[in-house]
Amino acid sequence: MSTPRDIAELGKRVAAQHGWPAAKAFKAYEMNEADRAALSQCALEILKVFPPVPGASALMSAALAVALERRIDAPIHLVAGTLSVAGEPVFGNREPFDGAQVFATPQPDWDGHVWVMVGPYVADIAIFRAAYSAQGPARLSKHVDLTFGPNKGLYVDHWKKTPQQGLRYEPHYVLSAEEVTRLMGGAFHVIKQAQPD
């Protein structure tokens, strides 16, 4: 279960990277229907052009974060950490890591997970792509199949409610604007390579 302590911890991580006003805005935000519709539209556009490549959570999530920043007025942060299913990590290992070092490259080689936080809401564009992939972790694939079924593209839920779906997003690092821009460059490169000449 995500506890108030977890929320406070993520608030501190947001503050460390973006300042206390950003952390306060992050906690206070409530998602409305217009923002939810824009989020769905952004995700559909990204999923349409982003090729199914393994280990792409950071790049896909950066693309979603950048698209959302252009469309909605909300506190949007890219978060890296561990994704657990039924208490067992499927991406990441709950160990601290040097985020600045990991995200110093446009295509990081890292076994953790990256997702977007829109205020206190998790917006995960990579979870279903990973679950439906032949290379995805078996535990995640089985869980998604039983809990959500096929043909899903974007998982959005209030962070406090994700454990009710058997998921736990454990934040370790909030990316800076510069790191998000660098990942966006990596995402653009992957999309460009996949397009026919």
Side-chain angles (χ1 to χ4, degrees):
M1 186 73 185
S2 293
T3 64
R5 200 180 122 257
D6 290 335
I7 303 266
E9 189 59 40
L10 183 53
K12 280 185 201 158
R13 291 182 192 280
V14 168
Q17 196 67 271
H18 301 281
W20 280 110
K24 282 185 181 152
F26 151 79
K27 287 183 189 170
Y29 172 77
E30 287 287 335
M31 190 176 290
N32 59 37
E33 281 310 309
D35 287 359
R36 198 173 285 278
L39 176 53
S40 296
Q41 189 58 42
C42 288
L44 282 171
E45 289 165 11
I46 291 163
L47 289 165
K48 204 181 290 181
V49 298
F50 207 99
V53 292
S57 75
L59 302 184
M60 291 178 77
S61 297
L64 180 61
V66 169
L68 284 173
E69 283 174 347
R70 293 180 184 145
R71 303 253 188 107
I72 65 175
D73 182 21
I76 296 162
H77 300 288
L78 204 55
V79 181
T82 301
L83 174 62
S84 299
V85 170
E88 292 292 318
V90 290
F91 292 116
N93 58 12
R94 296 190 170 127
E95 295 297 317
F97 61 91
D98 184 344
Q101 187 180 350
V102 168
F103 298 107
T105 167
Q107 294 191 23
D109 180 21
W110 177 62
D111 72 347
H113 194 58
V114 179
W115 62 94
V116 177
M117 294 294 300
V118 184
Y121 296 82
V122 168
D124 190 345
I125 194 169
I127 186 172
F128 295 123
R129 185 68 71 87
Y132 301 143
S133 147
Q135 296 91 22
R139 177 188 294 276
L140 177 64
S141 301
K142 184 178 178 188
H143 181 78
V144 163
D145 186 45
L146 292 171
T147 309
F148 301 101
N151 305 319
K152 300 290 186 283
L154 175 70
Y155 173 65
V156 181
D157 209 344
H158 196 287
W159 193 36
K160 281 193 295 205
K161 295 181 180 172
T162 58
Q164 293 168 17
Q165 304 295 339
L167 302 171
R168 184 166 158 84
Y169 289 82
E170 304 171 33
H172 298 292
Y173 184 72
V174 175
L175 281 77
S176 69
E178 184 185 346
E179 288 161 342
V180 174
T181 301
R182 191 177 298 128
L183 289 178
M184 186 61 212
F188 183 73
H189 181 70
V190 168
I191 291 165
K192 203 88 179 124
Q193 276 189 319
Q195 288 172 343
D197 292 330

